[in-house]
Amino acid sequence: MGQVIGKGRIHADAIPFINLEPDRVEKLWSHYKLHSDGFALDPDALQHVLKIIYEDDEAFEQKCRALFAKLDTDRNDLIDALECLATLASASGMKPQRKLTFVFDLYDFSESGELLLDEVTLLLKSTVTGLCKISEGESIPSLKEFEDLARLALKLEPSKDGKAVRDVTSTISRAQFVAYAVANPTISSWLNHYDDLTAPVAVSTEFGLQLLPVSDEYDLYKRKGAFEPRPGLNEAPCLAKYAALTPKVPEGEEFVPRTATDASLELDYVFGFGAPGSRGSAAYTTGDDVAFHAAELAILRSSGDDGVSQQFVRAHDATVTALAVSSDGATVATGQRGDSRIVVWSSSTQSVLGVLKSHTGAVSLLAFSEDGKLASIDSNGGLCVWEDMKRVASASLTTPALGLCWTQTGFVTCSEEGVLFWTRHRGKYVSRCGLNGPAEAYTGGVTLP
């Protein structure tokens, strides 16, 4: 299963089902779970499943049968339901990370948040096979290629004869699968191949080349007349301007080559504040001191008899995206993009107390408990709980969290789907539903004493 380049060329019969809005794909999955009896679909069953997203389309039945014909390559009047759903999701308007978690959940038959080797192999095989069926010029990789990718995902050790050891107990979590798929060049190339398919589709030529369609603006430009001949190098009008900008050495003086300046700059103060897309970006520490972040800096603003001053924590190498302060104000945690590290530092000395690494996406939310535990969530839905600078629990969210706060028994997350209450059970944090999602998403939460 090699890498692919460019954008996939979708067959005309599948075009009506490409670039579906994310909420329509989610609705399709919910409708399938409620109304389907098995993993195989005939033409009528496919039409029954898809009607939820094409209720008002007069040509709906014809479109469904055309799509069914593309997926039914063995012509037995049955198609794999999960292959169909994985295909539509992978070629939809979902973000790449959500596509990965969506197909992961399709094949998480035990609903444990983890997949076995065979389940990962089936996920990769069904998804890529379905995409090849609705595409033009794509060949389906061999089963061995899918098995090799799945074994690599679970980090299975090869045997002495070069073959992978059969493993029926090792698993991979949702967050680990997303991290692996994004980092693996082959899988990420297939993700990009079917992402944002609204781009111009390549047109075949009789010479075996692939050319992009010429834009209407270019055709209009050409109709205005023949191109004027390009001026020669010596006739280019810009040369005179460049010559005017060239430094001239006065007569009688020797040319001195440029050298680096001896001066240096030191950051003294950060003016303004901007953290688009971030939540919990500023908080009081002790007294009137305020911790906030800007660019790749964590900043502590202090005020006293001598006026206002700022101290900087320079432990980040990418944009800081989240901040939280402990209940006593003594400890601050800041998370970033890039390698998704979390830096824990002292508000009194600005010294780094620890660096936490486990997330696969930009850290989006941080929250301290009364007893000093730290909860963190990243943009890929990864959730971690830290105690004494060590990760003590982890979980995965299906939708991005918009709010995070601790309670006396655990913590609460808020999202478009509603509010989840997390409590510790046998060393793990498990969730239970609280409030269902309203017309507008729950964007935050707070715990009252």
Side-chain angles (χ1 to χ4, degrees):
M1 180 174 171
Q3 299 181 36
V4 287
I5 60 174
K7 293 297 180 182
R9 293 183 293 135
I10 304 299
H11 192 278
D13 291 339
I15 290 294
F17 301 93
I18 297 305
N19 282 329
L20 296 176
E21 294 86 351
D23 58 338
R24 295 175 74 186
V25 181
E26 303 284 1
K27 193 175 182 181
L28 184 63
W29 172 227
S30 299
H31 184 71
Y32 167 78
K33 290 190 291 184
L34 289 174
H35 300 283
S36 294
D37 298 327
F39 296 116
L41 299 175
D42 59 21
D44 293 334
L46 176 64
Q47 183 176 336
H48 177 73
V49 171
L50 295 179
K51 71 177 182 181
I52 193 68
I53 59 174
Y54 280 102
E55 294 176 348
D56 300 326
D57 195 326
E58 295 180 356
F60 168 66
E61 181 178 353
Q62 180 180 354
K63 293 178 180 178
C64 282
R65 293 193 176 278
L67 176 65
F68 186 93
K70 297 305 298 179
L71 296 174
D72 183 22
T73 52
D74 53 6
R75 300 294 182 264
N76 66 346
D77 283 335
L78 289 174
I79 62 172
D80 187 325
L82 297 186
E83 177 187 290
C84 177
L85 291 171
T87 300
L88 297 183
S90 300
S92 72
M94 286 178 165
K95 293 182 178 180
Q97 288 83 359
R98 179 55 188 137
K99 292 180 180 181
L100 292 170
T101 57
F102 184 91
V103 296
F104 184 98
D105 293 337
L106 286 180
Y107 292 92
D108 183 11
F109 302 117
S110 63
E111 298 184 354
S112 62
E114 297 179 334
L115 295 185
L116 295 165
L117 172 63
D118 290 341
E119 291 172 331
V120 176
T121 303
L122 183 60
L123 180 157
L124 295 172
K125 179 179 181 298
S126 297
T127 304
V128 173
T129 298
L131 290 171
C132 291
K133 288 179 180 179
I134 66 170
S135 303
E136 296 181 356
E138 298 287 359
S139 57
I140 301 174
S142 66
L143 176 61
K144 183 180 183 304
E145 292 176 284
F146 294 120
E147 290 175 340
D148 290 343
L149 284 174
R151 288 167 179 161
L152 186 61
L154 272 69
K155 300 179 181 179
L156 297 184
E157 294 292 336
S159 61
K160 296 181 180 180
D161 57 3
K163 297 181 180 180
V165 177
R166 186 64 176 171
D167 192 304
V168 295
T169 58
S170 298
T171 60
I172 184 171
S173 68
R174 183 186 291 104
Q176 290 170 335
F177 175 75
V178 171
Y180 165 73
V182 171
N184 183 278
T186 300
I187 298 179
S188 61
S189 72
W190 281 85
L191 271 175
N192 294 330
H193 197 54
Y194 290 94
D195 187 42
D196 189 18
L197 291 173
T198 56
V201 179
V203 178
S204 300
T205 70
E206 59 182 340
F207 305 106
L209 302 175
Q210 300 293 328
L211 302 177
L212 290 177
V214 178
S215 65
D216 295 336
E217 292 82 359
Y218 181 78
D219 286 334
L220 178 62
Y221 176 71
K222 285 207 63 176
R223 285 197 295 269
K224 291 182 178 180
F227 289 110
E228 296 181 1
R230 183 178 179 180
L233 181 61
N234 295 330
E235 301 172 357
C238 61
L239 286 184
K241 296 181 180 180
Y242 288 152
L245 295 175
T246 304
K248 298 294 190 299
V249 179
E251 293 184 5
E253 294 187 13
E254 183 180 356
F255 174 74
V256 179
R258 296 178 181 178
T259 58
T261 178
D262 295 331
S264 61
L265 297 176
E266 182 177 348
L267 179 62
D268 180 63
Y269 202 89
V270 173
F271 291 90
F273 169 74
S278 299
R279 297 178 178 273
S281 303
Y284 283 104
T285 56
T286 56
D288 293 331
D289 293 353
V290 175
F292 67 99
H293 60 83
E296 298 179 4
L297 291 173
I299 306 162
L300 186 76
R301 178 188 182 276
S302 304
S303 58
D305 296 336
D306 297 332
V308 177
S309 63
Q310 291 182 348
Q311 291 78 40
F312 310 109
V313 176
R314 306 170 188 264
H316 293 280
D317 61 359
T319 302
V320 181
T321 52
L323 177 146
V325 176
S326 62
S327 58
D328 59 4
T331 307
V332 184
T334 46
Q336 68 169 52
R337 298 180 185 274
D339 64 3
S340 308
R341 75 181 66 168
I342 299 171
V343 178
V344 182
W345 49 279
S346 168
S347 63
S348 58
T349 64
Q350 295 81 57
S351 59
V352 175
L353 304 177
V355 177
L356 314 177
K357 291 186 178 181
S358 181
H359 288 288
T360 61
V363 180
S364 55
L365 292 170
L366 293 168
F368 278 101
S369 66
E370 287 291 332
D371 58 357
K373 295 186 185 71
L374 176 65
S376 58
I377 298 177
D378 64 41
S379 57
N380 291 333
L383 187 155
C384 296
V385 178
W386 310 83
E387 188 172 4
D388 297 329
M389 302 299 172
K390 296 180 180 179
R391 191 186 70 180
V392 296
S394 63
S396 297
L397 303 174
T398 57
T399 56
L402 303 175
L404 171 67
C405 65
W406 283 87
T407 66
Q408 293 181 346
T409 58
F411 56 90
V412 175
T413 58
C414 306
S415 69
E416 294 180 355
E417 291 187 346
V419 178
L420 294 178
F421 292 83
W422 297 77
T423 55
R424 196 163 188 173
H425 178 68
R426 295 181 180 178
K428 294 184 178 181
Y429 281 89
V430 294
S431 65
R432 58 184 177 86
C433 294
L435 301 175
N436 293 326
E440 299 295 334
Y442 289 107
T443 59
V446 63
T447 304
L448 301 178

